[in-house]
Amino acid sequence: MAVATAPRADGRLEAILDQCRELAEDPDLPAVARWREQHPDGRVIGHFQVYFPEEIIHAAGMLPITVMGAGSRIDAKQADSHIGSFICSICRTSLELGLSGRLDALSGFFTLPICDVARNLAGIWGRNFPAQVSQILYLPQNATSRHAATYLRDEYQRLVGELEAIGGRPIADAALRQSIGVYNENRRLLRQLYQLKRESPWLVTSSEAYVLTRAGSVMPREEHNQILAEALAALAQRSGRRQDRVRVVFEGGFCEQPPLDMLGLLEEACYVVDDDLLIGMRWLTEDVVAGDDPLGALADAYLEHSTYSCVQHDDRKPKEAMLMARVDEAQAQAVILAAAKMCEPGLDEQVAYQKVCEARGIPHLLLEFEEKMTGLERLRMEVETFVESILFD
Amino acid sequence: MATDIRTRPPGDQEDQVVGRGRRQGSRLFRDWYGALGQADANGEPTAYVFVMGSCAEVLRAFDFHMVFPEINSLQTAVHRVSLDYLNAAEDSGYSPDVCGYVKADVGVHLRDRQHPNGVIPRPSLVIATNMCNTYVKWVEIWERMYHCPVFVLDIPGQRGIGWRANPGEAGFEADRRYVQAQLEELIELASRISGKPFDVDRLVQAMEHVNRMGAAWREVLRLNQNVPAPFNAMGDAITYMGVLSAYRGTELGAQYMEDLRAEMEERVARGLGTVEDERFRLHFVGTACYSHFRRFLELFQNWGAVFVNSEYLAYAGGGLDRGIQFDTSRPLESLAEQLLLTGQRSMSNMFFSQDQLADTVRDWHADGIVYHAVKSCRTVSTGMADSREYLVRTRDIPALSIESDLVDPRLWSEAQVKNRVDAFFEALGARKAAAAAGRR
Ligand code: SF4
Ligand code: SF4
């Protein structure tokens, strides 16, 4: 098997990656604190996974951030007495961030109907942080209804009203159009990053792409755009060389995020050429054309120009077929089918994904993960054995 | 409380009335499973639906048989064979952490739909609401197995604590239009599958039956405010709920519920409770442990406790606990409106339960709340520990937390549950004694 070596980077790129890594892992959200210093009257709105139309928060002049747990760096000491042991770790540590005061800067918290752990979070949040507006944004689960787009537009309009009440000023269409532009740029850059990952995985490791992406979830997207643009330029200049490695798709990171150590371990063994990590940030697959009705355009994009995940039911996007298309486009040889521990939708889908891989003869490895994982050495052995079995098959 | 027993059917003897709900319920249940077996043999149109948001009103108008996979799963546990089905599903790849209802059902399908109560027909149509998100994952399993049409009826729920939307207000009307449009699409689909044209009179007829059923059910629940309570909300009420789901939208169902109301009125008039000496009155949150159902109830009954109400009866009844008032002069609009209202109510009972819980404790004269967290069902269990902490802290409501499962006998630990239950009653007894002494 090829021995893994990290590609060499110039100093500036290394600094950007370090900064992004720190932002991804630091539960104290330093980027939010910095933004607050620069905007003493600015409001911060948190939202849960998976997809959220951040443009609307951005257009209100507020900072949207994704609340997505706390990785391995904190213990859910207080949250444990509020949430049972059979609940996924992202929910527990997200609450811990709140209970430990790390999210005191939030004026509002919105969760999504991706699963009922997430919906319950709205009630839990509301009971514990009554000063914050705590709500569910009801994205449609009947995506093929002829009325879904109208409904979603109405729901976005409702969100506008909530944010206007929090901020005390109206959100103009012009501001929405401008924000959509910023996010279009962001998605374009992320598409480029993923293209690079697919085409030249020796130039960017999977965890580098991950931290570069994730940094955007806690900072203004304009800043993130600059970081991405700079990083992409530097990555293209890298001098890494193609190695004889198995090309793998990682599926199962749509909500709870696997620990960075786990991603590091995977990329030591193979090229992870595509994945669904932080898929919400890449949910819209094309530029949104804001036009005369920016909210309508966002609603249309959510339904009509979007990728897939196991928390959205849409007959037009059969998930196994979508996964197979991802595998084909990335010219992957194998799939790692991961699921967060205790995650009902993830675990349910894993079975279907496994079947389609079996039917297509695609080697696949089933994994379960949680934010704070033990047994990484055992996992390393499993992954290495899996990769070797493909290489020497 | 004054009770009117005039509604008792003429000629019915008093001792035939008491226990009638359970007897009739069991018979209706057998008949229903029998009809499903026939449907399978005759290839009649069958819809798989869920107890929360079954769309019975629409399906009745097209003569669909209704299969309730949740009830099938529950029944495997009551028949003490759930583990066989769970094992079959786990052997086929489902994680031990997946909802046990889903897995017990997968087991049934892997065994050619052979169920302890008879053979379950194939689905011609599948309807899920979003009232539990696991429903949506569950229907995708049948979609793959049977390539049957799947319809997800999306009912937007309460958005947050303190959020209100009433008919006529912009927010409510936006949601109502969405639900109504989906119902129209569902009607098109049901008509296509059944090969029958839509007859609005048949819809109206089903809605009228549901109005009667809802009114009687609401009254049944209210009668349990009496001391002693005439029924155990986690005991016989599970049978009543089964009929409520399976016979919703039928004359038989409406009549059953009206008879049940008469029975409860009779019990109240005669001062009949469910335990010899009713010492404790409790409100219940969660679902029962069906793999050890009898024992589960005994642990409470042995202390002279009765469950006077249960959140389960609210959400698993699709929100019918407060009755339902279809305005049949504008059927589709009213259907959408009421599905939205009752659907929201069911979901709120799971996600934003604290105020309803406190109100129920007050109105049903409960001494405390029992929270039963089940690993299978994160929908009802995720918020429990927090809700308990909140109500103890802000309202001083005594509460007990226990943990096991719906259908997975491996997760039942009698010693652990019993210890907690006993300790709770000892503390509750002391508290009641102190309160009584304080009043003297
Ligand atoms: S990890 Fe799974 S169960 Fe947990 S909140 Fe996310 S989707 Fe829901
Ligand atoms: S998660 Fe709960 S409500 Fe949903 S299907 Fe499972 S047992 Fe039923």
Side-chain angles (χ1 to χ4, degrees):
Chain A
M1 199 186 77
V3 178
T5 48
R8 295 243 306 265
D10 67 45
R12 177 61 190 143
L13 179 58
E14 207 55 60
I16 291 178
L17 289 169
D18 281 349
Q19 183 201 355
C20 291
R21 205 168 285 123
E22 195 47 34
L23 287 178
E25 289 210 305
D26 192 340
D28 289 319
L29 305 172
V32 177
R34 257 198 316 279
W35 187 83
R36 295 261 294 164
E37 278 163 25
Q38 292 155 5
H39 306 83
D41 299 324
R43 303 284 195 157
V44 184
I45 304 291
H47 65 79
F48 197 63
Q49 302 274 50
V50 171
Y51 169 80
F52 192 92
E54 283 198 358
E55 287 89 335
I56 303 176
I57 301 174
H58 186 270
M62 303 176 184
L63 177 67
I65 66 163
T66 316
V67 176
M68 58 169 112
S72 57
R73 288 212 191 166
I74 63 172
D75 287 324
K77 283 199 199 91
Q78 300 179 67
D80 278 352
S81 60
H82 292 259
I83 293 183
S85 56
F86 44 85
I87 306 299
C88 59
S89 125
I90 184 174
C91 179
R92 187 188 309 281
T93 57
S94 293
L95 181 63
E96 184 69 25
L97 287 178
L99 292 173
S100 60
R102 291 176 168 96
L103 296 175
D104 283 355
L106 296 190
S107 296
F109 172 79
F110 290 85
T111 182
L112 289 309
I114 52 168
C115 71
D116 292 328
V117 171
R119 280 200 291 184
N120 264 295
L121 209 45
I124 295 173
W125 212 269
R127 286 190 288 267
N128 287 284
F129 313 111
Q132 297 179 18
V133 171
S134 166
Q135 289 193 353
I136 303 172
L137 182 79
Y138 262 96
L139 299 178
Q141 276 287 26
N142 186 352
T144 45
S145 167
R146 293 189 286 272
H147 197 80
T150 308
Y151 161 74
L152 183 55
R153 197 202 172 283
D154 286 342
E155 182 67 354
Y156 285 174
Q157 188 69 59
R158 185 183 74 75
L159 175 64
V160 166
E162 296 290 349
L163 294 171
E164 287 177 342
I166 293 172
R169 62 188 175 94
I171 301 174
D173 275 2
L176 277 168
R177 274 192 284 274
Q178 204 257 335
S179 299
I180 287 173
V182 171
Y183 277 78
N184 277 343
E185 174 68 9
N186 192 251
R187 287 183 285 261
R188 240 189 330 258
L189 291 163
L190 290 175
R191 284 200 295 273
Q192 273 179 37
L193 180 62
Y194 268 73
Q195 192 180 349
L196 184 70
K197 214 166 109 97
R198 275 193 302 270
E199 289 173 0
S200 316
W202 50 93
L203 292 181
V204 57
T205 69
S206 159
S207 60
E208 286 169 347
Y210 174 73
V211 296
L212 279 170
T213 308
R214 181 157 171 174
S217 68
V218 287
M219 63 163 63
R221 286 302 160 99
E222 293 88 336
E223 267 178 52
H224 190 227
N225 286 347
Q226 282 174 12
I227 287 177
L228 284 177
E230 207 179 330
L232 279 164
L235 286 168
Q237 300 303 315
R238 264 182 169 176
S239 54
R241 274 213 332 271
R242 176 188 202 136
Q243 295 178 339
D244 182 21
R245 293 201 189 190
V246 174
R247 295 171 63 89
V248 169
V249 161
F250 178 91
E251 187 82 12
F254 57 94
C255 181
E256 181 165 319
Q257 300 301 295
L260 265 180
D261 285 348
M262 176 174 159
L263 296 180
L265 182 155
L266 297 180
E267 73 201 13
E268 281 173 24
C270 49
Y271 285 140
V272 181
V273 285
D274 205 349
D275 58 53
D276 66 341
L277 295 162
L278 302 168
I279 195 69
M281 293 176 72
R282 300 177 283 126
W283 184 257
L284 308 186
T285 49
E286 294 167 24
D287 281 1
V288 179
V289 182
D292 293 339
D293 178 16
L295 289 182
L298 280 172
D300 179 68
Y302 173 81
L303 292 163
E304 305 299 329
H305 308 287
S306 49
T307 181
Y308 70 100
S309 95
C310 62
V311 293
Q312 193 209 29
H313 177 87
D314 186 337
D315 291 338
R316 300 164 305 178
K317 297 191 252 182
K319 287 176 268 290
E320 297 97 314
M322 298 296 284
L323 172 62
M324 289 302 109
R326 181 173 277 161
V327 168
D328 291 344
E329 275 162 35
Q331 296 179 6
Q333 299 150 275
V335 183
I336 290 178
L337 295 173
K341 216 168 169 11
M342 303 292 173
C343 170
E344 180 79 42
L347 291 166
D348 287 331
E349 204 65 56
Q350 208 181 28
V351 182
Y353 286 155
Q354 184 185 1
K355 286 206 175 108
V356 69
C357 287
E358 272 163 14
R360 291 255 315 243
I362 297 175
H364 53 281
L365 177 65
L366 297 179
L367 294 181
E368 258 185 55
F369 65 86
E370 56 188 327
E371 289 180 327
K372 211 176 228 172
M373 263 176 94
T374 51
L376 279 174
E377 275 318 303
R378 197 174 40 83
L379 182 68
R380 181 191 304 278
M381 299 255 295
E382 257 182 80
V383 174
E384 284 176 0
T385 311
F386 172 65
V387 168
E388 280 167 19
S389 73
I390 299 167
L391 279 175
F392 301 122
D393 196 14
Chain B
M1 201 184 76
T3 301
D4 181 357
I5 57 167
R6 279 169 305 178
T7 42
R8 206 172 77 215
D12 220 336
Q13 299 301 307
E14 280 189 355
D15 48 357
Q16 285 182 321
V17 176
V18 173
R20 183 176 58 193
R22 184 164 28 84
R23 286 193 305 272
Q24 275 188 359
S26 303
R27 184 172 52 72
L28 285 172
F29 227 61
R30 275 196 304 276
D31 292 351
W32 173 57
Y33 270 107
L36 292 184
Q38 288 297 317
D40 184 62
N42 302 338
E44 290 160 5
T46 301
Y48 283 20
V49 298
F50 294 94
V51 295
M52 298 193 285
S54 67
C55 299
E57 295 82 351
V58 171
L59 293 169
R60 298 283 175 218
F62 295 100
D63 297 316
F64 276 90
H65 291 273
M66 285 159 65
V67 168
F68 289 85
E70 291 155 294
I71 298 179
N72 293 344
S73 294
L74 183 160
Q75 287 286 319
T76 65
V78 170
H79 288 278
R80 298 195 158 256
V81 290
S82 51
L83 192 54
D84 299 345
Y85 291 96
L86 294 173
N87 280 335
E90 288 178 10
D91 288 347
S92 80
Y94 286 89
S95 158
D97 298 326
V98 159
C99 165
Y101 266 16
V102 173
K103 280 187 298 190
D105 173 72
V106 166
V108 169
H109 289 277
L110 290 175
R111 294 176 162 198
D112 294 327
R113 293 170 279 109
Q114 298 295 327
H115 183 275
N117 291 353
V119 62
I120 310 296
R122 292 166 178 276
S124 344
L125 166 66
V126 162
I127 303 175
T129 54
N130 63 319
M131 290 161 77
C132 162
N133 270 298
T134 303
Y135 288 172
V136 183
K137 300 311 295 172
W138 196 342
V139 299
E140 289 174 352
I141 297 174
W142 303 319
E143 190 174 30
R144 289 165 179 134
M145 280 181 176
Y146 297 106
H147 307 286
C148 51
V150 163
F151 191 91
V152 177
L153 177 71
D154 194 15
I155 301 180
Q158 178 180 339
R159 306 311 203 269
I161 292 171
W163 180 85
R164 294 272 175 276
N166 298 311
E169 292 171 6
F172 182 90
E173 290 306 315
D175 290 353
R176 200 261 308 146
R177 281 192 297 273
Y178 178 37
V179 174
Q180 188 169 338
Q182 293 178 82
L183 286 173
E184 284 161 12
E185 289 164 349
L186 175 63
I187 285 170
E188 282 170 32
L189 182 63
S191 175
R192 205 162 60 237
I193 293 169
S194 66
K196 293 187 177 164
F198 173 53
D199 177 353
V200 72
D201 292 339
R202 296 205 57 202
L203 176 70
V204 165
Q205 192 183 41
M207 289 165 78
E208 280 166 353
H209 292 319
V210 177
N211 274 347
R212 277 173 57 204
M213 180 185 243
W217 178 237
R218 175 194 174 123
E219 196 51 25
V220 166
L221 294 177
R222 205 183 55 79
L223 283 162
N224 237 23
Q225 292 177 352
N226 283 284
V227 181
F231 68 96
N232 188 332
M234 289 309 289
D236 285 346
I238 303 298
T239 306
Y240 312 155
M241 283 290 295
V243 177
L244 182 102
S245 292
Y247 286 83
R248 180 172 171 145
T250 65
E251 166 63 29
L252 269 178
Q255 186 59 51
Y256 172 84
M257 216 42 91
E258 286 167 354
D259 286 352
L260 186 63
R261 179 178 58 199
E263 175 185 341
M264 293 309 150
E265 285 167 342
E266 174 77 26
R267 284 182 186 244
V268 169
R270 290 164 62 183
L272 292 177
T274 64
V275 280
E276 198 133 299
D277 170 26
E278 184 180 290
R279 290 181 59 208
F280 298 104
R281 297 170 63 83
L282 299 169
H283 187 26
F284 190 89
V285 182
T287 58
C289 171
Y290 298 112
S291 60
H292 294 78
F293 194 31
R294 187 185 296 266
R295 191 63 194 130
F296 184 88
L297 292 174
E298 277 171 5
L299 291 179
F300 295 90
Q301 283 163 342
N302 289 347
W303 281 90
V306 58
F307 292 111
V308 291
N309 204 335
S310 157
E311 289 299 284
Y312 176 79
L313 302 184
Y315 52 73
L320 226 54
D321 58 314
R322 294 277 169 91
I324 194 163
Q325 277 314 313
F326 289 125
D327 174 357
T328 49
S329 69
R330 44 179 187 106
L332 262 185
E333 190 182 327
S334 176
L335 184 63
E337 188 176 286
Q338 295 295 319
L339 278 183
L340 186 55
L341 285 168
T342 49
Q344 287 187 338
R345 189 175 146 63
S346 302
M347 289 187 271
S348 300
N349 270 305
M350 299 184 285
F351 309 138
F352 305 103
S353 61
Q354 62 287 337
D355 296 331
Q356 291 99 303
L357 286 176
D359 291 351
T360 305
V361 165
R362 182 194 61 211
D363 296 342
W364 270 257
H365 317 296
D367 301 307
I369 300 178
V370 175
Y371 289 91
H372 180 218
V374 295
K375 182 182 173 190
S376 270
C377 184
R378 294 169 185 93
T379 308
V380 302
S381 305
T382 303
M384 277 188 197
D386 184 67
S387 153
R388 173 183 193 265
E389 189 273 339
Y390 179 86
L391 286 175
V392 170
R393 175 164 52 86
T394 61
R395 315 275 175 99
D396 191 30
I397 296 176
L400 163 70
S401 290
I402 46 175
E403 214 174 286
S404 70
D405 196 57
L406 295 151
V407 290
D408 192 337
R410 296 167 297 192
L411 298 172
W412 168 257
S413 158
E414 175 157 336
Q416 215 172 62
V417 176
K418 184 170 185 309
N419 274 344
R420 294 198 137 210
V421 170
D422 290 350
F424 174 67
F425 281 120
E426 274 160 23
L428 198 57
R431 182 183 161 114
K432 285 186 82 165
R439 274 199 302 274
R440 274 201 293 273

